[in-house]
Amino acid sequence: SLQFDPEVPRRRSRPRPDRIRRYTDFLVGQKVMASDEEWVLYYWGPPPGGKPFPGRGEFIRLIFEETGVKFREVGDHKVLLEMFFSKAQEGTKQEGFPHFAPPLIQKGNFRLSQTPVICSYLGKQFGLWPESEDDQWHADQLNKTIHDFIGEGRLAFHGRNPVESYYTQKEETQPYIDRFVKTRLPRWLAHLEVALKANKGGQGFVIGDKLTYVDLALLHVLRATESQFPEAWAANDSIPLLKAFKDRISARPNLAAYFKSDRCIPFEGNSMM
């Protein structure tokens, strides 16, 4: 849930157009200065006057953390607003293949957006990839299901306006949250329980015999669910495999160290973010 107005603040005096162009060119240049060996994640940092939140960027961070691949994160709102919410996005300022919104990853001149696509791509790059073609497609299916789940959960907190802060519509959207918790959350969790059980009784990984990017996606959405809806999570006795899975995967050495570190951002308290 973003707590800022995605509009560039107006200045008291109007800058000269040539200065605007030079400043825009400078920001675009700063964005693409990533070495061929460096991974960069672009995602929202703390909004002005607000607190940080893990958001969809956490799906991606978990892959980097589990594999031990170093990355740099850019969360500066001025840079991100220029990248995604300015006229530069609509014209010639955006170089290469266009991107709609963060998160976005970059290595060298290659950039990629859309969270489920990024997770699948990094999974293949870093060895978190299923062995058989059948498993690869089933992983893709479940990955998209997981992102649909958290997307629907987020929308429940934005019942009046999906792109406006939750804090501006708390009373109006509460019925949507209540309905989600009562009718939709149990259905999502029941399906994920069945999906986990389908692979060796749910005692190992989601797909195949080794950790894949889908395990990390499932871990994040379960952590987000428990944090956002602790009472519903605790009271649900029909998902023992999911609860055991969350504890088991969270205990992997790299992930356990990450969750205890300052790098791990606490959930913000709304929108499953």
Side-chain angles (χ1 to χ4, degrees):
S1 172
L2 303 182
Q3 302 177 58
F4 64 94
D5 183 357
E7 297 289 337
V8 178
R10 296 182 178 180
R11 294 179 173 89
R12 293 183 179 179
S13 60
R14 179 174 296 179
R16 287 165 41 190
D18 61 328
R19 291 181 179 174
I20 294 176
R21 285 194 296 272
R22 287 201 299 269
Y23 180 63
T24 300
D25 292 342
F26 168 75
L27 284 178
V28 171
Q30 290 293 94
K31 293 195 297 288
V32 299
M33 287 179 62
S35 73
D36 292 341
E37 302 301 322
E38 179 184 46
W39 288 99
V40 183
L41 168 63
Y42 294 90
Y43 193 68
W44 300 112
K51 57 183 179 180
F53 59 96
R56 288 186 173 92
E58 192 71 359
F59 283 107
I60 301 161
R61 295 184 197 102
L62 291 186
I63 295 176
F64 284 121
E65 293 289 346
E66 164 61 26
T67 57
V69 175
K70 293 183 179 180
F71 70 104
R72 177 169 62 90
E73 186 159 349
V74 176
D76 185 277
H77 280 242
K78 290 182 179 179
V79 174
L80 295 178
L81 288 172
E82 177 61 33
M83 289 177 73
F84 299 105
F85 294 94
S86 73
K87 290 296 181 181
Q89 186 186 23
E90 302 171 8
T92 58
K93 293 293 183 183
Q94 216 185 55
E95 300 177 1
F97 198 83
H99 303 277
F100 184 73
L104 178 146
I105 59 168
Q106 177 176 344
K107 187 177 185 184
N109 291 322
F110 176 72
R111 297 189 295 177
L112 189 68
S113 57
Q114 284 290 355
T115 314
V117 178
I118 293 173
C119 291
S120 177
Y121 171 79
L122 292 180
K124 191 169 187 178
Q125 293 293 309
F126 300 157
L128 301 175
W129 192 250
E131 299 290 345
S132 72
E133 184 176 4
D134 284 355
D135 282 350
Q136 290 164 18
W137 285 112
H138 287 151
D140 188 43
Q141 172 187 317
L142 190 57
N143 184 42
K144 289 181 170 62
T145 299
I146 289 167
H147 287 272
D148 284 347
F149 171 26
I150 204 165
E152 184 178 322
R154 179 197 172 276
L155 284 177
F157 288 79
H158 300 76
R160 175 170 57 79
N161 187 330
V163 297
E164 194 173 291
S165 170
Y166 161 72
Y167 297 101
T168 66
Q169 50 189 317
K170 290 177 67 173
E171 294 184 4
E172 296 161 284
T173 202
Q174 190 58 49
Y176 295 90
I177 298 171
D178 295 339
R179 181 176 65 185
F180 178 79
V181 173
K182 182 178 180 180
T183 66
R184 298 294 294 164
L185 182 61
R187 177 169 167 76
W188 283 111
L189 292 175
H191 174 73
L192 293 176
E193 178 83 1
V194 171
L196 178 59
K197 188 175 183 179
N199 187 42
K200 305 183 186 304
Q203 302 302 314
F205 304 108
V206 180
I207 301 289
D209 297 318
K210 68 173 188 176
L211 187 82
T212 69
Y213 70 98
V214 186
D215 292 291
L216 300 178
L218 179 57
L219 171 62
H220 175 59
V221 83
L222 295 180
R223 293 184 72 245
T225 299
E226 182 182 28
S227 175
Q228 186 65 69
F229 311 110
E231 294 181 0
W233 173 267
N236 193 329
D237 296 328
S238 65
I239 52 170
L241 297 177
L242 288 179
K243 292 182 177 181
F245 172 89
K246 184 187 74 67
D247 293 341
R248 183 169 65 251
I249 303 301
S250 295
R252 294 177 65 87
N254 285 358
L255 294 176
Y258 169 64
F259 293 141
K260 294 177 182 177
S261 73
D262 294 337
R263 300 189 307 280
C264 184
I265 306 169
F267 288 100
E268 201 233 358
N270 74 82
S271 306
M272 298 181 72
M273 296 286 152

